[in-house]
Amino acid sequence: MASRARVRAPELVGAGGWLNTGGKELALADFRGKITILDFWTFCCINCLHVLDELRELEEKHRDTVVIVGVHSPKFVHEADHRAVVDAVDRYEVHHPVLDDPALATWKQYAVRAWPTLVVIDPEGYVVAQHAGEGHAHAIARLVEELEAEHAAKGTLRRGDGPYVAPEPTAGDLKFPGKAVRLPNGHFLVADSGHHSLVELEADGETVVRRIGDGVRGLVDGTAPRFSEPQGLALLPEGTVDYDVVVADTVNHALRGVRLADGKVTTLAGTGRQWWQGSATEGPAREVDLSSPWDVAWFDGRVWIAMAGVHQLWAYDPATGTVGVAAGTTNEGLVDGPVAEAWFAQPSGLAVSADGERLWVADSETSALRWVSRGTGTVHSAVGTGLFDFGHRDGAAGQALLQHPLGVTVLPDGSVAVSDTYNHALRRYDPASGEVSTLATDLREPSGAVLADGDIVVVESARHRLTRLRLPEEAVRVDAVAHRTQRAATEVAPGALRLDVVFQAPTGQKLDERYGPSTRLLVSATPPELLVSGAGADSALSRELVLSDTVTEGVLHVSAMAASCDDDPAIEYPACHVHQQDWGVPVKLTADGARRLPLVLAGLE
């Protein structure tokens, strides 16, 4: 077996302590003899949620030799709240120990630069691999098999149960509900995400009429359907099609149609597989992969989709049975302009203006409220400035701040209510005055809202309920709070900067060059003036950048992709895999800053 580089793993430290261990505090020594995989994640991050799903099979198959440890490393201030981390571990069914690291202590010790990042530690306590982004489960599975054989032979592998202790289950009719719609009969249909089902409630918002779905995660059609963490719901115009409601079935990467008369469910779009770079972006809806659709809305004669997993808006046409990209480039950030050139960052909420001319978008990772103009086909921003600025500040929209909003609702006067999720608040933007105000506070992770007889019914996701509020005549006064992510900026020097994306193909695989370049690197910056040269796309994973000497700070946006295939001439149809990651690297320009920026996609620097 070839020798591999090994680096002694730093200790695991987190001020928030440990979850899923039955109250026991753990240290790195407790994992000696096991293959340990550290998953650096934060619960706002859609790519992190994808990786949680990627790891489930590995976790089950190697449960007696592998311990996965989630290291929760927050981006938003709300994510440093221990109670919120407890909720997220329950919400996303995390079945392994989690270290709550609100101050990013362990993140810094392991020199992590991106969410998500996976670090593999061998049974003797040495780091043997690091992977950033998605698509690495197969590579890690192969490495695990190698480590199992190697350390079984050495006598350093310890088999048996890991330290995971399941928490007490959450009781109640709803569990982390996502969004809701009001039905023609006055009832509410709720996406009961934590129970993988839909629930119809009476007009009181509490009494259960029926449940659509048996509560087991799955992708099953018919009158005994299954869902996987459904979120958005859209009621279609009467007589449009033979189903009444479209569901964003998020973790199934699918759109589902529900016929209310009998609860029959039909898959409308998606294959059940997650979309990757290079996959089709339009075509027959049942043949095109989707990626974590989070909300849906009927706009301009089609069902528009907040495709959170790829930072785009897509649209499904029931008349033709087709689906395709409607806005966005897959680049993550806040860039306005024509729909084909705009950037989004995990769009998660949609609502249509009363006149049908605007599609409002809650763009969660930029803490922004944005809209698409039907007439001009352009994207605009009302509130929000970028990936790393957020808070709770009212007043003129140009300086107002939100914190990871997930929902948006058009009010009777034409203003917009924003479910300001990580501020636990309901906010209001008035297009006429350009002002932002606060309608209500002391909500718990509101994720959507719906109007009902002059009131607004808010989905309080982390309180597992619907809450009915009177629309106030006057806004609540809230002391302004502004935040920036506590993630430290990387100090770099103005002028030449060497960018190196480190990628090592997994054992037994090679870069797939049969149909052209197997790698892709895309670089941009916020503000654009930060980059004098080096922006754009190319196939090489290294590039010479030139940074401005007049810009003092900004963000480098780096997107890398590599495709590797089985390296065995005897295999007629080798299996191929895509590895990809987007980095938003905050940088501070200083005279003595670094001249090289290494980013690990897979391997060790």
Side-chain angles (χ1 to χ4, degrees):
M1 182 172 296
S3 62
R4 69 169 58 85
R6 301 198 308 172
V7 178
R8 177 63 72 179
E11 188 52 84
L12 305 178
V13 179
W18 289 86
L19 306 177
N20 284 354
T21 63
K24 182 180 179 181
E25 295 293 309
L26 300 177
L28 200 59
D30 294 305
F31 307 110
R32 191 61 57 87
K34 297 284 190 181
I35 300 162
T36 305
I37 302 172
L38 305 183
D39 176 15
F40 289 86
W41 70 298
T42 188
F43 63 79
C44 73
C45 162
I46 192 66
N47 312 92
C48 299
L49 303 186
H50 291 166
V51 167
L52 282 175
D53 290 323
E54 286 181 7
L55 293 176
R56 293 188 198 278
E57 182 179 348
L58 176 73
E59 191 169 26
E60 179 61 30
K61 182 177 179 180
H62 298 276
R63 61 188 309 167
D64 66 331
T65 58
V66 171
V67 175
I68 296 175
V69 175
V71 182
H72 189 267
S73 312
K75 171 187 172 180
F76 289 98
V77 169
H78 171 61
E79 293 172 312
D81 177 351
H82 182 70
R83 178 182 170 188
V85 179
V86 172
D87 284 343
V89 168
D90 186 16
R91 179 194 296 266
Y92 297 117
E93 299 179 4
V94 179
H95 293 162
H96 50 249
V98 174
L99 175 64
D100 181 10
D101 183 20
L104 301 180
T106 296
W107 166 287
K108 294 170 185 173
Q109 286 278 27
Y110 281 81
V112 174
R113 291 184 182 272
W115 299 279
T117 292
L118 300 170
V119 176
V120 182
I121 302 173
D122 74 12
E124 295 178 284
Y126 290 90
V127 174
V128 294
Q130 180 172 323
H131 303 264
E134 304 178 52
H136 301 294
H138 72 286
I140 293 176
R142 184 165 294 187
L143 177 58
V144 164
E145 291 172 356
E146 292 178 8
L147 291 172
E148 285 177 339
E150 177 183 337
H151 288 274
K154 291 174 66 175
T156 50
L157 184 68
R158 177 169 55 89
R159 294 183 180 273
D161 291 337
Y164 170 68
V165 178
E168 290 295 319
T170 303
D173 292 326
L174 300 178
K175 182 179 180 182
F176 299 110
K179 299 183 188 295
V181 292
R182 197 173 189 216
L183 301 178
N185 62 2
H187 291 182
F188 297 96
L189 188 65
V190 183
D192 191 10
S193 307
H195 287 139
H196 311 296
S197 59
L198 310 180
V199 175
E200 184 177 344
L201 302 177
E202 289 187 3
D204 61 8
E206 297 179 1
T207 305
V208 175
V209 176
R210 61 172 167 169
R211 184 174 292 274
I212 302 173
D214 63 5
V216 177
R217 189 190 294 268
L219 179 55
V220 179
D221 285 344
T223 53
R226 287 183 172 174
F227 301 87
S228 187
E229 298 181 35
Q231 288 287 340
L233 305 168
L235 192 65
L236 298 188
E238 188 174 353
T240 306
V241 284
D242 62 354
Y243 47 90
D244 306 287
V245 175
V246 175
V247 182
D249 195 8
T250 304
V251 178
N252 276 329
H253 309 295
L255 291 192
R256 319 287 295 280
V258 179
R259 191 167 64 196
L260 294 173
D262 57 2
K264 183 180 179 181
V265 173
T266 303
T267 298
L268 307 175
T271 62
R273 298 183 302 269
Q274 182 186 337
W275 186 94
W276 290 95
Q277 289 286 352
S279 301
T281 57
E282 63 180 358
R286 291 291 302 271
E287 300 174 15
V288 177
D289 299 338
L290 309 182
S291 183
S292 297
W294 209 275
D295 202 6
V296 282
W298 181 257
F299 175 62
D300 197 20
R302 295 182 293 171
V303 177
W304 283 57
I305 310 161
M307 201 72 79
V310 287
H311 317 298
Q312 290 180 308
L313 303 180
W314 287 41
Y316 165 70
D317 187 342
T320 61
T322 57
V323 70
V325 175
T329 64
T330 76
N331 296 327
E332 183 179 14
L334 192 154
V335 176
D336 291 336
V339 289
E341 301 172 11
W343 292 21
F344 296 90
Q346 220 167 292
S348 301
L350 301 175
V352 181
S353 61
D355 61 7
E357 292 299 315
R358 287 186 179 185
L359 177 69
W360 293 99
V361 182
D363 202 29
S364 62
E365 278 294 287
T366 53
S367 297
L369 173 64
R370 308 175 72 186
W371 84 86
V372 179
S373 171
R374 187 180 72 86
T376 62
T378 53
V379 178
H380 310 263
S381 294
V383 182
T385 58
L387 287 165
F388 300 109
D389 294 293
F390 51 89
H392 191 146
R393 180 193 287 153
D394 289 333
Q399 56 85 55
L401 294 172
L402 308 169
Q403 187 179 181
H404 197 80
L406 291 180
V408 61
T409 308
V410 173
L411 300 179
D413 64 357
S415 65
V416 180
V418 180
S419 294
D420 194 6
T421 309
Y422 287 3
N423 279 326
H424 308 300
L426 191 67
R427 311 286 294 284
R428 175 179 178 266
Y429 168 69
D430 182 0
S433 66
E435 293 286 313
V436 175
S437 57
T438 298
L439 296 176
T441 57
D442 194 31
L443 301 168
R444 187 70 187 169
E445 293 192 9
S447 54
V450 60
L451 296 176
D453 303 323
D455 296 339
I456 189 164
V457 177
V458 180
V459 182
E460 278 198 270
S461 189
R463 282 200 176 112
H464 317 292
R465 71 185 189 191
L466 304 188
T467 298
R468 195 176 190 113
L469 302 173
R470 274 282 179 200
L471 282 172
E473 295 181 3
E474 294 185 5
V476 178
R477 290 189 177 274
V478 176
D479 291 335
V481 179
H483 299 294
R484 282 183 66 85
T485 181
Q486 63 175 319
R487 176 183 170 190
T490 299
E491 293 192 0
V492 294
L497 176 71
R498 175 77 175 181
L499 172 64
D500 290 319
V501 173
V502 178
F503 177 76
Q504 298 164 5
T507 303
Q509 294 192 352
K510 64 178 181 180
L511 290 174
D512 178 22
E513 306 283 357
R514 291 172 299 166
Y515 306 108
S518 60
T519 57
R520 177 177 179 267
L521 181 64
L522 175 67
V523 181
S524 61
T526 303
E529 298 77 28
L530 172 63
L531 268 178
V532 175
S533 66
D538 202 348
S539 58
L541 291 181
S542 294
R543 188 177 303 178
E544 292 291 341
L545 309 180
V546 176
L547 304 185
S548 171
D549 58 4
T550 61
V551 177
T552 58
E553 62 180 2
V555 179
L556 285 174
H557 303 281
V558 181
S559 178
M561 183 276 289
S564 62
C565 296
D566 291 336
D567 185 14
D568 185 347
I571 301 176
E572 184 177 1
Y573 300 106
C576 297
H577 305 273
V578 176
H579 317 255
Q580 65 182 47
Q581 171 63 2
D582 297 330
W583 291 268
V585 183
V587 294
K588 181 178 180 181
L589 278 71
T590 60
D592 56 353
R595 296 284 182 182
R596 177 175 177 265
L597 177 62
L599 299 174
V600 177
L601 179 60
L604 288 176
E605 163 64 7

